[in-house]
Amino acid sequence: MGKFDEHERVILNVGGTRHETYRTTLKTLPGTRLALLASQQVPGFIEYNARSNEYFFDRHPGVFAYVLNYYRTGKLHCPADVCGPLFEEELSFWGIDETDVEPCCWMTYRQHRDAEEALDVFEMNVDNDEDDEYGKRLGIEDVVSADGTVSRWRKWQPVIWNLFEDPYSSRAARVRAHAARSLQTVARARLSSSA
């Protein structure tokens, strides 16, 4: 690969879907995998087919459409039909910083992490062996039976109560409270528009 034209077209075959763009487009995000390819600083693991004049990447073709659009427009949007961890993995592969996700898509992108964190907090609350603490905090002294075991319901009951009654008790409670407020707002809007 000798000299190349800045406006030369580059064919990228990603997961069997062909994309065509210009070298200059790929150079808009310096330091990323495609910018290196456009500068002909191609790492050895990128597959190039000289006969078809295309680079091949065995990656998710649907997500790549969003990646290539980011090179073209400078705006990184998150597909709603792809789970967060997959999108995160693809961004990492292409060398794109996740903080570049547009504000309009940030909540969609972060949903999986928030859910994981909420579940972790929920798990921590349930796995916490401070059984006497539950009884004291909620005014239930019979959480622990005479033989020292805790029934499943007695262990989960305070966690569930906090989830619905105290929106500041955990991340899961905050998410639930936010969802409830959102639903109330939508319901009010529908009622006022139908009146």
Side-chain angles (χ1 to χ4, degrees):
M1 299 177 113
K3 287 269 188 194
F4 58 91
D5 179 13
E6 285 294 313
H7 297 291
E8 176 187 357
R9 290 183 185 177
V10 177
I11 301 171
L12 306 167
N13 181 333
V14 180
T17 303
R18 292 181 60 172
H19 300 269
E20 196 168 330
T21 191
Y22 295 106
R23 284 193 187 281
T24 53
T25 301
L26 298 181
K27 288 182 175 184
T28 58
L29 300 173
T32 61
R33 186 176 300 264
L34 294 177
L36 293 173
L37 182 143
S39 301
Q40 291 195 331
Q41 298 171 359
V42 182
F45 56 85
I46 294 179
E47 187 178 327
Y48 176 73
N49 185 332
R51 199 167 25 134
S52 60
N53 192 30
E54 67 184 25
Y55 295 92
F56 177 77
F57 297 91
D58 191 16
R59 304 303 295 185
H60 193 285
V63 172
F64 183 72
Y66 288 86
V67 168
L68 187 56
N69 190 55
Y70 179 42
Y71 281 88
R72 291 175 174 151
T73 65
K75 296 181 184 293
L76 180 59
H77 293 281
C78 179
D81 62 338
V82 174
C83 72
L86 172 64
F87 191 64
E88 188 175 348
E89 184 180 316
E90 290 297 309
L91 291 181
S92 176
F93 175 81
W94 296 109
I96 297 172
D97 188 359
E98 68 176 11
T99 59
D100 293 344
V101 172
E102 287 295 306
C104 61
C105 294
W106 185 250
M107 291 302 291
T108 302
Y109 173 69
R110 284 287 305 182
Q111 242 176 358
H112 76 283
R113 280 213 192 128
D114 291 342
E116 285 173 356
E117 289 172 7
L119 289 173
D120 287 344
V121 168
F122 199 63
E123 274 295 313
M124 282 186 346
N125 288 345
V126 172
D127 291 342
N128 188 350
D129 287 331
E130 298 173 4
D131 297 323
D132 292 334
E133 174 77 22
Y134 288 132
K136 289 176 187 170
R137 193 170 66 193
L138 297 172
I140 313 169
E141 299 302 325
D142 62 341
V143 172
V144 181
S145 66
D147 64 349
T149 60
V150 179
S151 71
R152 186 174 290 162
W153 167 245
R154 290 293 185 178
K155 200 168 191 176
W156 279 89
Q157 186 180 22
V159 175
I160 292 171
W161 283 355
N162 279 337
L163 180 69
F164 287 96
E165 293 179 1
D166 183 7
Y168 301 103
S169 64
S170 68
R171 183 175 288 263
R174 284 192 297 278
V175 169
R176 195 223 44 90
H178 177 70
R181 277 188 304 246
S182 297
L183 288 173
Q184 287 173 348
T185 304
V186 169
R188 283 189 200 115
R190 286 186 180 166
L191 284 174
S192 65
S193 67
S194 64

